Amino acid sequence: LGYKGGGAVLEGSAGNGVMLGSAPDSVANTAKFFGTELDPITCEICNHLYPAARILPRGFQDLVFPDNSVDFAIGNVPFGGDIFDKRYAALNPAIHDYFFLKTVDKLRPGGFLVYITSMYTMDKRSDKIRSALADRADLVTAIRMPNGVFQDNAGTRVATDIIVLRKRMPEEERNGIKWTESIKIGEDYVVEGRNVPLYMNEYFASHPENVLGVMGIGKGLYSQFDPICTQPPGVSNENLIPWVKRKIIEIADKQAPVYNPMEVPESNAISFIDRFAADNVWEKQIVIDEKTGALMRKIGGVYEPLPKEITNIPDAVTQIKDILAVREALWNVMRTSLLTNSDDILADAQKE
């Protein structure tokens, strides 16, 4: 795809860091990795294994950072359930679709994502999510893997897709690849006396070589009438994973480079990763940077220096720091009163 490293790399559902650990040296040694993992223990394990990365213990919906700031996003997105983010409330996306929507907004123009997701991202009858994505990004390629490929490491037998999207530059024309429609394929299947149509994304209908299995109707995640992708004839269970890997490499080797991000100074591109604000700091709250002693304010989830119009006022910095010291002393009294019944301990906190 042409990405050789550098800039910011996002992993919105990091787990214990499998994707981070798979990065080639050229990327691992030059890029700034960041992301989220909802489970705090798993997040701690990931940060211990990959201390250079910044993985935060929160849901992806709670990670606030600038739009147009990510060079490359990768991950195996969660599946099942809904998620709320008022920015995308009108689309009411399922959680796996939400990851695509938010990530595309966060990509720099020319940046791209590689996500593993369920087949329903591409094949669901409604095109509203795909159309919303296509308004800003082009499909580079997609690869469908048979049911059960991720059974061992993810516990799911649903068919999965690898989807590669590239965010377009301002005023750039679409690349012409059609992928927003889900179309009926062939005649209806008859299952238990019931006629069941098979719908599949138009991209896969036009690129059957990217479907690494046989599409049909059968027992899937929800019922015996689900669309499924079974392993191809002649490929045994023990040879399925190696065979899928070889086919993915063959498809990838034919792909022309697409990574060509809009020029952004490196410091601006990734500096926000080192400035993520703590969860217990509210928006626009002023704090003192522990390393530099500078006054910072939480803006959009990250710490930003106070405007010079404020800090250049004579004695303003000193006065603000004095006020912050009073605030901290007050909070200390409040915390102490909640944690102790001792009047002496509380009196000591009040003296401060």
Side-chain angles (χ1 to χ4, degrees):
L1 296 169
Y3 177 68
K4 303 297 184 183
V9 175
L10 168 67
E11 231 280 50
S13 183
N16 60 11
V18 171
M19 294 287 185
L20 302 180
S22 301
D25 289 344
S26 61
V27 175
N29 295 333
T30 60
K32 193 78 171 181
F33 289 85
F34 78 106
T36 61
E37 169 50 44
L38 184 60
D39 182 78
I41 296 176
T42 306
C43 182
E44 187 67 24
I45 293 172
C46 183
N47 281 309
H48 179 76
L49 293 174
Y50 306 102
R54 186 77 187 276
I55 307 300
L56 301 170
R58 64 187 71 169
F60 188 46
Q61 71 276 17
D62 296 322
L63 184 66
V64 181
F65 61 106
D67 287 354
N68 305 307
S69 59
V70 174
D71 293 83
F72 172 45
I74 190 169
N76 187 351
V77 301
F79 176 75
D82 298 319
I83 197 167
F84 179 75
D85 183 329
K86 63 181 181 181
R87 180 173 183 176
Y88 307 101
L91 292 170
N92 190 28
I95 189 169
H96 52 285
D97 292 332
Y98 172 78
F99 269 67
F100 280 87
L101 291 166
K102 180 171 180 175
T103 301
V104 166
D105 279 332
K106 301 306 180 181
L107 287 175
R108 288 168 54 188
F112 67 101
L113 66 81
V114 179
Y115 276 170
I116 298 170
T117 184
S118 85
M119 65 188 298
Y120 296 104
T121 297
M122 290 289 277
D123 284 4
K124 72 177 68 177
R125 294 289 303 278
S126 172
D127 67 351
K128 66 177 183 178
I129 300 295
R130 294 188 296 270
S131 294
L133 293 170
D135 286 341
R136 293 162 289 163
D138 290 325
L139 179 70
V140 176
T141 190
I143 303 171
R144 172 148 301 165
M145 294 172 286
N147 291 57
V149 166
F150 286 95
Q151 177 67 28
D152 289 341
N153 66 351
T156 178
R157 290 195 56 81
V158 69
T160 49
D161 295 341
I162 299 173
I163 298 177
V164 182
L165 299 181
R166 175 185 173 272
K167 188 170 182 176
R168 289 191 299 275
M169 300 284 190
E171 309 302 325
E172 181 180 357
E173 296 291 331
R174 300 189 182 203
N175 67 359
I177 294 177
K178 295 182 178 181
W179 64 288
T180 59
E181 298 294 326
S182 183
I183 61 176
K184 189 174 182 292
I185 304 297
E187 300 295 326
D188 287 358
Y189 288 74
V190 179
V191 182
E192 298 183 3
R194 172 177 166 183
N195 289 342
V196 183
L198 173 65
Y199 285 85
M200 185 169 68
N201 190 275
E202 60 183 328
Y203 176 81
F204 288 126
S206 300
H207 296 81
E209 70 279 6
N210 284 26
V211 179
L212 307 184
V214 180
M215 292 297 299
I217 297 293
K219 183 172 177 55
L221 187 64
Y222 301 108
S223 72
Q224 65 269 38
F225 308 111
D226 287 353
I228 58 174
C229 183
T230 57
Q231 62 195 63
V235 179
S236 63
N237 289 337
E238 57 269 23
N239 290 328
L240 178 61
I241 301 300
W243 181 84
V244 167
K245 287 181 178 179
R246 288 196 301 271
K247 297 299 290 185
I248 291 174
I249 291 172
E250 289 175 10
I251 295 170
D253 285 344
K254 297 175 183 178
Q255 175 62 52
V258 296
Y259 176 67
N260 183 27
M262 180 180 291
E263 291 292 333
V264 174
E266 189 73 5
S267 59
N268 292 342
I270 66 172
S271 63
F272 71 91
I273 297 174
D274 296 319
R275 295 185 284 108
F276 277 120
D279 289 338
N280 61 352
V281 176
W282 67 78
E283 187 72 2
K284 296 186 179 180
Q285 179 180 334
I286 298 174
V287 300
I288 300 174
D289 188 293
E290 294 180 356
K291 295 181 179 179
T292 66
L295 291 173
M296 310 291 284
R297 181 167 55 182
K298 182 178 179 179
I299 301 293
V302 298
Y303 290 128
E304 299 284 358
L306 280 187
K308 290 184 178 180
E309 307 89 81
I310 297 176
T311 57
N312 285 343
I313 297 174
D315 298 325
V317 172
T318 300
Q319 292 177 14
I320 292 173
K321 287 184 176 182
D322 288 343
I323 294 172
L324 294 180
V326 173
R327 182 187 69 186
E328 181 57 35
L330 176 61
W331 285 353
N332 186 46
V333 170
M334 295 170 65
R335 286 192 295 265
T336 303
S337 67
L338 293 173
L339 296 174
T340 183
N341 293 321
S342 170
D343 292 338
D344 292 337
I345 295 176
L346 182 58
D348 289 340
Q350 292 171 335
K351 290 177 181 178
E352 296 181 4

